[in-house]
């Protein structure tokens, strides 16, 4: 189990490498929800998502011999780009397993950072099983997208920055909200909150059609399901990780669901009101606040906007067709 010391160590490795992304506020948003909302704009992070924090921390923590041999990762896009860029910065060979239907923008960016991309059918193949086999065959170190202590510690630094900013401006937060796919970001938020602000309510948000995080927390054990059909490609994981689940259970973290239409409305609101471009997964926390699924009235709420990797055509189509 990771602790706050691991998070501070990660922050030290990431200093001068990651962007200390801005925390955005909006009087209009505060009036809409009846509270104070602080939006941590990780869509402005390197590679366009919070994932760079965890990937770089994990690679930077590897012994030199394992770096030379190379690393392997599987991802629908943001973790793929994060590992690819981190590997380039650290001089590490990287191979990335990506689904055939991953957004073209994310595929192109991953290859552009110099990684070898291996494609697979996400609806027919178990990516973790395939990834473990390929990593073993090639002698590579697998960098999982969320079930990894150094990855979680790196992701946690986003919440560390958010908590410090909000506390300086308005006092302690009442609620911290992040999306949840595999659970690394939410687990990191839980570690930081329980160490530095134990009274904070930590909430994860997953697509309504994907219930594996809610089911896992209710049952106390990992739950696996078929890949959900949702526009939130960053949250199409069939389960949350063993390590994130243990952190969430120990921390009393909860998870709620939001509809795809709510994700698009949040994307549109963020674009029109704050000029921030969010991908569907990146808008999950904001969607939950706007829809009232996470109560913000009379509260100070910190929301991690986890990513903004979406091409202009897809963004325009979504907000035009579903975001009114």
């Amino acid at each position: 189990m990771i602790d706050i010391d691991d998070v501070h160590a990660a922050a030290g490795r990431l200093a001068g490498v990651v962007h200390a992304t801005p925390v955005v506020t909006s009087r209009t948003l505060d009036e809409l929800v009846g509270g104070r909302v602080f939006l941590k704009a990780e869509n402005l992070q390197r590679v366009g998502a919070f994932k760079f924090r965890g990937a770089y921390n994990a690679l930077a923590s590897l012994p030199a011999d394992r770096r030379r041999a190379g690393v392997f990762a599987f991802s629908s896009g943001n973790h793929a780009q994060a590992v690819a860029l981190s590997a380039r910065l650290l001089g590490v060979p990287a191979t990335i397993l990506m689904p055939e239907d991953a957004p073209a923008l994310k595929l192109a960016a991953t290859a552009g950072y110099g990684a070898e991309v291996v494609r697979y059918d996400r609806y027919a193949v178990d990516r973790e099983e395939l990834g473990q086999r390929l990593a073993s065959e090639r002698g590579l170190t697998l960098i999982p997208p969320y079930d990894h202590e150094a990855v979680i510690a790196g992701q946690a630094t986003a919440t560390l920055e958010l908590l410090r900013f909000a506390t300086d401006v308005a006092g302690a937060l009442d609620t911290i909200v992040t999306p949840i796919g595999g659970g690394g970001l939410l687990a990191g938020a839980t570690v930081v909150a329980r160490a530095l602000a134990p009274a904070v309510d930590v909430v994860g948000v997953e697509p309504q059609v994907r219930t594996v995080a809610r089911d896992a927390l209710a049952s106390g054990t990992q739950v696996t399901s078929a890949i959900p059909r949702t526009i939130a490609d960053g949250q199409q994981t069939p389960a949350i990780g063993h390590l994130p689940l243990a952190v969430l259970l120990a921390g009393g973290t909860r998870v709620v669901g939001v509809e795809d239409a709510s994700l698009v409305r949040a994307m549109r609101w963020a674009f029109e009101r704050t000029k921030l471009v969010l991908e569907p997964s990146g808008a999950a926390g904001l969607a939950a606040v706007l829809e009232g699924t996470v109560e913000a009235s009379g509260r100070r709420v910190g929301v991690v906007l986890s990513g903004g990797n979406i091409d202009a055509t897809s963004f325009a189509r979504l907000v035009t067709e579903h975001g009114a």
Side-chain angles (χ1 to χ4, degrees):
M1 195 73 75
I2 68 169
D3 59 27
I4 194 64
D5 291 337
D6 298 310
V7 180
H8 287 309
R13 293 187 193 96
L14 296 173
V17 180
V18 299
H19 298 323
T21 53
V23 177
V24 177
T25 59
S26 164
R27 182 179 299 176
T28 300
L29 178 58
D30 291 349
E31 292 174 352
L32 277 174
V33 302
R36 295 198 67 181
V37 183
F38 301 86
L39 304 173
K40 180 64 168 165
E42 283 294 289
N43 58 309
L44 302 179
Q45 187 54 260
R46 298 183 76 163
V47 310
F50 76 98
K51 291 284 191 177
F52 180 69
R53 296 175 181 268
Y56 190 91
N57 188 51
L59 267 68
S61 302
L62 288 177
D65 60 333
R66 293 172 70 184
R67 287 198 211 176
R68 286 193 297 270
V71 297
F72 185 87
F74 48 83
S75 167
S76 64
N78 286 339
H79 181 63
Q81 294 174 81
V83 171
L85 177 57
S86 298
R88 190 179 77 177
L89 293 174
L90 292 166
V92 177
T95 303
I96 312 292
L97 181 66
M98 299 185 71
E100 293 175 347
D101 64 342
L105 182 70
K106 297 180 180 182
L107 285 163
T110 302
Y113 290 132
E116 176 190 354
V117 176
V118 178
R119 309 282 291 277
Y120 76 101
D121 181 351
R122 78 161 92 214
Y123 300 104
V125 175
D126 183 324
R127 70 174 186 175
E128 295 197 26
E129 180 180 324
L130 177 57
Q132 293 281 4
R133 178 167 57 81
L134 287 173
S136 177
E137 289 173 354
R138 300 186 181 194
L140 307 174
T141 296
L142 179 63
I143 307 295
Y146 43 82
D147 220 349
H148 189 284
E149 291 182 357
V151 169
I152 293 173
Q155 318 301 32
T157 61
T159 299
L160 186 65
E161 293 174 10
L162 169 61
L163 194 61
R164 286 172 173 168
F165 177 92
T167 300
D168 288 345
V169 171
L173 290 174
D174 299 300
T175 308
I176 294 172
V177 189
T178 86
I180 177 170
L185 179 62
L186 185 60
T190 300
V191 170
V192 172
R194 294 299 163 252
L196 303 181
V200 170
D201 183 23
V202 183
V203 187
V205 184
E206 67 181 340
Q208 190 65 43
V209 297
R210 191 200 91 143
T211 64
V212 293
R214 284 165 284 171
D215 292 345
L217 290 176
S219 66
T221 187
Q222 192 180 50
V223 174
T224 302
S225 73
I227 298 295
R229 302 283 180 168
T230 170
I231 62 171
D233 67 279
Q235 295 175 282
Q236 286 184 300
T237 51
I240 63 174
H242 292 285
L243 181 55
L245 177 59
V247 172
L248 302 184
L249 288 170
T253 300
R254 61 191 179 94
V255 174
V256 299
V258 293
E259 300 287 354
D260 278 8
S262 296
L263 297 177
V264 180
R265 283 193 290 270
M267 291 166 62
R268 183 171 188 157
W269 187 92
F271 177 76
E272 292 179 345
R273 295 292 185 167
T274 69
K275 312 312 173 191
L276 293 173
V277 175
L278 302 176
E279 62 187 284
S281 299
L286 177 59
V289 170
L290 285 170
E291 297 293 323
T293 308
V294 172
E295 181 61 55
S297 179
R299 300 175 69 83
R300 295 178 294 262
V301 181
V303 180
V304 179
L305 306 176
S306 61
N309 286 316
I310 183 169
D311 64 86
T313 300
S314 297
F315 184 92
R317 176 179 54 79
L318 286 172
V319 299
T320 300
E321 294 177 358
H322 305 288

